Amino acid sequence: MSNGKPVACNRDCGATCALMAETQPDGSIRLIRNSLNPSRKTPCPRGLRALDSRNASDRLRRPLIRTGRRGEGVFREVSWPTALQAAADGLKRIIDEHGAPAILDFGGSGACKGALHNTGRLTAAFLGQLGPVTRMEGSYSFQAANFALPYVYGTGPVGYDAGTLLDTRFVILWGANITDTRFGNESQSVMRHIRSQGGEIIVIDPRRTDTSRQLGTEWIPIRPGGDVPMMLAIAHVLWTEGLTDTRFITTYVHGADEFFAYVSGDVEGIPKTPEWASNLSGVPAGTIRDLARRYAAAKPAAIVPGFSLQRALAGEETFRMTAALQAVTGNAGIHGGTPGTNMWFGLPGPKIRVFPGRDGDGRTVPKAIWPQVILGGKAQGYSVDFKAAYMVGTNYLNQGSDILSGIAALESLNFIVSHELFLTPSARYADVVFPASHYLEREDVIVAEDNYLYYSGKVFEPIGEARDDFDIFAELSSHWGGEEEFNRGRNSEEWVDWIIDNSAVGRDGREEFKRTGIYDGGNHDRNGLAPFISDPEVNPLNTPSGKIEISSERYAETGYPAWPHHRTMNRSPDYPLQLITPHSRFRINSTGSNIAWVEENDPILLWMNPSDARKRGITDGSTVLVRSSTGEMAVKVYETPDIVTGVVSCAQGGWHGREGSPSANLLTPLEPTLPSIGTRTHTVFVEVEAGVTAGE
Ligand SMILES: Nc1nc2c(c(=O)[nH]1)N[C@H]1C(S)=C(S)[C@@H](COP(=O)(O)OP(=O)(O)OC[C@H]3O[C@@H](n4cnc5c(=O)[nH]c(N)nc54)[C@H](O)[C@@H]3O)O[C@H]1N2
Ligand SMILES: Nc1nc2c(c(=O)[nH]1)N[C@H]1C(S)=C(S)[C@@H](COP(=O)(O)OP(=O)(O)OC[C@H]3O[C@@H](n4cnc5c(=O)[nH]c(N)nc54)[C@H](O)[C@@H]3O)O[C@H]1N2
Ligand code: SF4
Ligand SMILES: [Mo]
């Protein structure tokens, strides 16, 4: 470790990993796993190849001012004082003419684990100084579940650590592709361990994923959106065959009678049998019945859902269902079970005081539909007409649904500022672009949800004239109340020390922490529901009944039934195929799409079943046109039996406008799932037409 400096990967990737920047004999730097990590913790190739992005030839090195049309990508390099002045002038003009609420905060998750260099929080802190700007409410990742789960569990920590599943012998990874999307840096090792002990892991996914292949799991192919019907049918089998855990239900569950009245068909008239679900999910009734019996026989049994399930129409109901199944089988909150949610949900970590963001001043608008918000303005009932956007650590034009509406929205604005490492599709729409530092170019404390803090040292000076977002905001603040308004009299190094000294590490541990890079919060066997399970009277949940509400009268106030339910989808015969847009293996959302090894090893392709391709005269490797009611997109086909018939898949994250790297969000509609107003990027209906053959 003598020739290494600890760093920690600060990405919105589903994990957080302690690495080491090791100096090689030739003086070059290589990233490796921090050897002080517990053995189960493994980083991924994306993180280990972070130097590719740090050193990329298209890194922005100087501030830019737009000289071409919005989106054209034509800019002039300017000095820092010129760029800062232009940003300050532009923002002041907007505030003078339209007021601070006309500015939209597009700060997000590009760097989201840092206690200091946090793109969302720094942006909120800066913009908060200017007045009540408008913030975006909601989460692209988890909106529907975030909305629904409090009705089930109340708000509060109900998550679990991956390690609690080590002794589990029956796991359903329901739409969870943990090999690629991680869900923590231990979940792969834990699942491997379960397999090595002869445990069963079932992956339910429209695709045979890397997870299924690498772990050698059973794969149950399903149609997107077939999950709730299949889950209801499992509940039906449990109910009719007397396989529920009645003692657990009596003690811990509220609403079971209402739920089973719906499942059995006593309410609304349709028994949710495996045969009924089979038509909707494409999963044979026998498979559902068999899975239900095996699930009921195993204890503990864990359902680990992917976030994918809820980025869909009626996504709210998917997580209410995973929670309901785990509750009625008595697997919620017991060691080795799960509450049907993802890891860590709300669990506390080591004490840490982060750089403060901004208190909730200003109005909010729903993130999932930001183009509609901008285009609608006052006419659509918003308090103002929006005039400006401030983008830091987001590529929302590319990542939000319906790119063409996004383009129209950004074109309608008067002023846009971006801090970026690259000229992304979104940054191309900005008036002023500040070059931002890479995480290897600054020091930070990284907060991991699995009860660790990591130290991330500065390995390089920022490339070219790039600066930390923190410094950019501090300098820009001198055009208002002064730098100190923003940085409160501390530079970034002083802030990092302050953060460490005020954290669980403490002043005395600071030097050691900077040397090892890892502070271990101690308990990695956390099960958030344990206190409730051990004594539900003394430790009730924060729900009206104090119990797990699998049916919720309060939820019914949203206009949807109290119990988790199936909702039918309207489909047009013009779009007979279903499209899913999962997260790609080597990108982090759209981050990495401009990096050569990512493009080579993980190209954006349209997965299509050979039978669907044959029907349309489509050949493997040819470029096709995919059309939805929202837009159309050309993409190369990857013909594979690893996707169910009637479904196509195109990974999200390609950069709109970049050759060979289309963004699937040309096809995704803005219409959200309700009542949460979440995106439904896994519920898209398309048709695919044979197009240009490769090489033509
Ligand atoms: N490699 C990588 N890892 C990441 C990210 C990344 O971009 N790349 N992004 C991170 C972020 S921000 C997030 S929010 C998480 C996202 O994590 P998830 O939302 O869970 O990831 P997805 O890849 O969208 O979906 C996971 C799996 O669900 C399947 N799926 C899609 N629709 C359905 C459906 O209707 N039913 C079922 N049963 N399965 C379905 C997909 O085929 C895919 O294999 O991942 C994080 N980790
Ligand atoms: N079709 C479809 N669309 C989706 C999804 C899907 O499943 N399907 N998933 C959604 C999900 S879950 C998410 S979370 C969103 C993510 O969408 P975004 O939040 O837009 O995430 P990224 O695309 O990774 O863009 C982050 C940007 O931050 C920049 N960045 C990184 N570090 C820094 C830094 O320190 N400073 C600054 N200034 N910039 C930095 C990167 O260069 C990158 O361009 O996408 C959503 N979009
Ligand atoms: S799993 Fe995530 S945090 Fe870990 S190295 Fe990979 S990208 Fe970085
Ligand atoms: Mo996400």
Side-chain angles (χ1 to χ4, degrees):
M1 217 172 70
S2 52
N3 62 345
K5 188 178 262 191
V7 295
C9 192
N10 177 2
R11 292 292 185 228
D12 185 15
C13 90
T16 310
C17 297
L19 309 176
M20 194 57 82
E22 191 188 56
T23 308
Q24 304 301 293
D26 67 358
S28 65
I29 303 280
R30 191 169 69 116
L31 293 185
I32 54 169
R33 177 176 178 274
N34 185 327
S35 59
L36 299 176
N37 270 303
S39 60
R40 286 205 300 271
K41 289 183 166 287
T42 54
C44 81
R46 295 167 297 166
L48 294 171
R49 298 212 43 158
L51 262 65
D52 288 44
S53 63
R54 191 271 162 181
N55 296 329
S57 58
D58 53 350
R59 269 291 295 280
L60 297 177
R61 285 168 162 77
R62 298 198 66 200
L64 301 173
I65 286 191
R66 184 169 60 83
T67 51
R69 275 183 298 106
R70 282 204 195 285
E72 196 183 3
V74 182
F75 290 84
R76 153 172 81 89
E77 288 191 345
V78 295
S79 69
W80 272 97
T82 306
L84 289 162
Q85 189 68 50
D89 290 348
L91 291 169
K92 283 182 176 166
R93 205 171 50 242
I94 299 290
I95 294 169
D96 289 347
E97 292 173 11
H98 308 283
I103 301 175
L104 270 168
D105 177 343
F106 272 67
S109 55
C112 60
K113 307 278 174 65
L116 177 61
H117 299 285
N118 181 303
T119 42
R121 220 179 299 123
L122 291 173
T123 313
F126 169 73
L127 291 178
Q129 289 168 199
L130 310 190
V133 302
T134 303
R135 289 182 301 119
M136 294 217 243
E137 175 104 71
S139 154
Y140 273 130
S141 309
F142 207 54
Q143 178 67 8
N146 268 341
F147 178 90
L149 286 171
Y151 291 94
V152 183
Y153 289 115
T155 45
V158 301
Y160 55 96
D161 279 317
T164 59
L165 303 183
L166 278 169
D167 297 327
T168 308
R169 295 290 167 262
F170 192 87
V171 179
I172 303 179
L173 296 176
W174 206 311
N177 181 15
I178 55 128
T179 295
D180 292 341
T181 60
R182 305 306 306 264
F183 291 145
N185 51 24
E186 286 183 75
S187 48
Q188 263 174 301
S189 321
V190 168
M191 294 301 155
R192 272 214 185 90
H193 171 84
I194 294 171
R195 287 292 291 144
S196 73
Q197 299 300 302
E200 292 178 88
I201 299 180
I202 295 107
V203 175
I204 303 179
D205 198 301
R207 307 181 299 148
R208 187 200 300 272
T209 56
D210 289 336
T211 304
S212 179
R213 212 187 308 270
Q214 288 184 17
L215 294 173
T217 70
E218 187 177 333
W219 173 41
I220 300 184
I222 189 167
R223 263 184 233 136
D227 306 288
V228 168
M230 181 168 168
M231 292 173 196
L232 286 167
I234 290 176
H236 191 271
V237 176
L238 299 174
W239 178 243
T240 51
E241 300 188 6
L243 301 175
T244 57
D245 185 332
T246 33
R247 192 198 60 87
F248 190 93
I249 292 173
T250 312
T251 317
Y252 301 108
V253 176
H254 170 87
D257 291 346
E258 292 82 352
F259 173 65
F260 284 117
Y262 171 69
V263 167
S264 65
D266 288 352
V267 167
E268 296 190 12
I270 302 168
K272 307 298 179 297
T273 61
E275 286 70 22
W276 168 83
S278 177
N279 284 329
L280 295 162
S281 62
V283 182
T287 306
I288 300 176
R289 204 164 265 120
D290 171 60
L291 182 69
R293 290 173 186 154
R294 282 155 66 202
Y295 171 52
K299 204 167 225 173
I303 294 183
V304 178
F307 292 5
S308 59
L309 297 183
Q310 49 85 63
R311 281 201 309 287
L313 278 183
E316 295 83 358
E317 306 310 322
T318 56
F319 270 60
R320 296 177 79 209
M321 268 312 301
T322 49
L325 287 179
Q326 288 293 88
V328 300
T329 52
N331 280 302
I334 64 167
H335 194 83
T338 73
T341 70
N342 303 93
M343 281 147 219
W344 318 306
F345 196 74
L347 291 181
K351 180 188 156 209
I352 178 98
R353 286 178 68 188
V354 298
F355 180 80
R358 174 171 53 126
D359 299 333
D361 53 352
R363 292 197 169 79
T364 60
V365 291
K367 185 183 282 179
I369 56 168
W370 66 262
Q372 275 174 5
V373 169
I374 293 177
L375 292 169
K378 276 188 188 161
Q380 291 297 318
Y382 296 103
S383 60
V384 287
D385 286 325
F386 300 97
K387 298 293 178 188
Y390 204 115
M391 305 172 169
V392 183
T394 59
N395 187 10
Y396 284 175
L397 174 61
N398 203 72
Q399 295 304 103
S401 296
D402 190 355
I403 289 185
L404 296 185
S405 290
I407 288 175
L410 294 185
E411 280 177 342
S412 77
L413 296 178
N414 295 354
F415 194 61
I416 304 175
V417 183
S418 165
H419 300 192
E420 252 300 347
L421 284 81
F422 301 104
L423 204 53
T424 61
S426 304
R428 290 165 82 94
Y429 283 78
D431 296 271
V432 181
V433 184
F434 293 119
S437 61
H438 188 277
Y439 90 86
L440 293 169
E441 299 168 343
R442 62 200 184 210
E443 187 195 27
D444 210 343
V445 175
I446 304 300
V447 184
E449 288 168 287
D450 53 353
N451 209 5
Y452 285 91
L453 298 176
Y454 299 131
Y455 172 73
S456 194
K458 177 170 173 173
V459 182
F460 303 102
E461 285 304 318
I463 221 160
E465 294 180 17
R467 291 190 188 172
D468 300 347
D469 297 302
F470 176 88
D471 292 333
I472 301 172
F473 282 130
E475 276 232 35
L476 203 47
S477 298
S478 60
H479 291 259
W480 278 268
E483 283 202 1
E484 302 225 336
E485 277 283 297
F486 177 77
N487 67 16
R488 300 167 198 220
R490 288 190 196 97
N491 66 25
S492 55
E493 281 167 27
E494 290 162 348
W495 264 109
V496 170
D497 284 349
W498 183 91
I499 287 165
I500 297 173
D501 294 354
N502 286 283
S503 74
V505 178
R507 171 70 191 88
D508 293 346
R510 193 210 288 167
E511 292 318 310
E512 170 79 351
F513 183 49
K514 288 191 173 182
R515 200 177 56 75
T516 62
I518 300 180
Y519 174 86
D520 184 343
N523 184 359
H524 305 292
D525 207 30
R526 296 170 305 165
N527 178 346
L529 279 178
F532 166 68
I533 296 297
S534 69
D535 194 335
E537 301 290 326
V538 174
N539 309 304
L541 298 178
N542 192 19
T543 53
S545 62
K547 296 184 175 184
I548 302 171
E549 300 215 343
I550 65 172
S551 187
S552 151
E553 290 77 26
R554 207 188 260 175
Y555 193 81
E557 290 168 18
T558 66
Y560 290 85
W563 43 88
H565 54 277
H566 168 62
R567 301 187 213 160
T568 43
M569 288 184 253
N570 293 324
R571 296 193 57 166
S572 151
D574 295 343
Y575 304 109
L577 296 169
Q578 276 185 275
L579 168 74
I580 53 171
T581 60
H583 291 229
S584 90
R585 182 162 191 210
F586 290 144
R587 286 170 195 77
I588 298 165
N589 299 304
S590 72
T591 306
S593 267
N594 57 322
I595 304 298
W597 83 270
V598 175
E599 292 196 297
E600 275 160 32
N601 294 293
D602 192 10
I604 301 278
L605 299 170
L606 186 79
W607 291 34
M608 191 173 208
N609 189 284
S611 66
D612 289 321
R614 214 172 306 118
K615 243 189 254 170
R616 292 167 176 78
I618 288 167
T619 50
D620 187 37
S622 65
T623 301
V624 293
L625 191 70
V626 190
R627 288 188 293 108
S628 74
S629 58
T630 304
E632 57 183 43
M633 183 184 95
V635 60
K636 270 194 184 165
V637 163
Y638 166 55
E639 237 187 77
T640 171
D642 288 343
I643 184 154
V644 297
T645 313
V647 181
V648 287
S649 170
C650 180
Q652 60 112 331
W655 277 14
H656 175 58
R658 188 179 175 87
E659 180 73 33
S661 175
S663 170
N665 283 318
L666 277 167
L667 301 166
T668 53
L670 271 174
E671 184 203 8
T673 178
L674 294 172
S676 66
I677 321 186
T679 54
R680 33 76 70 92
T681 45
H682 288 305
T683 311
V684 187
F685 303 105
V686 298
E687 178 55 297
V688 181
E689 289 168 15
V692 194
T693 312
E696 248 179 39

